[in-house]
Amino acid sequence: MNHYHGRASWGMAAGATLHCLTGCAIGEVLGMVIGTALGWGNLPTTVLAIALAFLFGYALTLRGILSAGVDARTAVRVALAADTLSIAVMELIDNGVILLWPGAMDARLSKPLFWIALAASLAIAFVVTTPVNKWMIGRGKGHAVVHRYH
């Protein structure tokens, strides 16, 4: 039986969201740096950043699960179940804010607007995603599944 079912605290949800935010931020920034360095346009750079956000989000979860001695196949299934909705919401909000922020899509990495818009978009995504994670953990889903392996 899952001992988190029905007992999701805001602290637990914020911790799960911060974990998600870390992977998303690493992937987002890396994707933007790579896309910019290669001279790509906004669309391919954004697609790369989103793909890397998912990759790094899953990788952070996999690291913890695998270190608990779980086999790779089970670890991947747990990471997908635990993080997909959280990362998807985080990316939807984060990229939506960037798209709507005047000039943010065209701001270069060397400009303050780029970093201010990115920080604000990630902060807004954190605020929106935390209740999603609280809801999932309270139902024994999301990071509640990961905690079984810690």
Side-chain angles (χ1 to χ4, degrees):
M1 181 174 164
N2 182 356
H3 64 282
Y4 288 102
H5 190 73
R7 291 187 9 208
S9 70
W10 283 106
M12 188 183 303
T17 307
L18 185 58
H19 180 269
C20 173
L21 178 73
T22 302
C24 287
I26 292 168
E28 289 271 338
V29 172
L30 185 59
M32 290 177 199
V33 168
I34 292 169
T36 299
L38 295 175
W40 291 359
N42 288 338
L43 182 60
T45 298
T46 301
V47 169
L48 177 62
I50 291 169
L52 290 175
F54 273 90
L55 179 71
F56 278 91
Y58 290 139
L60 289 178
T61 297
L62 279 171
R63 184 182 63 137
I65 298 168
L66 290 170
S67 69
V70 176
D71 67 276
R73 183 175 182 192
T74 301
V76 168
R77 289 175 53 219
V78 169
L80 291 173
D83 288 341
T84 299
L85 182 60
S86 181
I87 296 171
V89 170
M90 181 84 53
E91 287 302 299
L92 178 68
I93 300 302
D94 168 41
N95 285 287
V97 169
I98 295 293
L99 282 170
L100 295 174
W101 192 306
M105 283 299 293
D106 296 318
R108 298 202 174 271
L109 297 173
S110 60
K111 300 294 181 187
L113 175 59
F114 171 85
W115 297 102
I116 291 166
L118 180 62
S121 70
L122 290 171
I124 293 166
F126 177 85
V127 170
V128 172
T129 307
T130 298
V132 173
N133 281 324
K134 185 177 186 308
W135 177 79
M136 289 190 324
I137 293 167
R139 282 151 187 75
K141 307 289 184 203
H143 271 260
V145 177
V146 174
H147 286 281
R148 295 178 196 156
Y149 298 98
H150 288 247

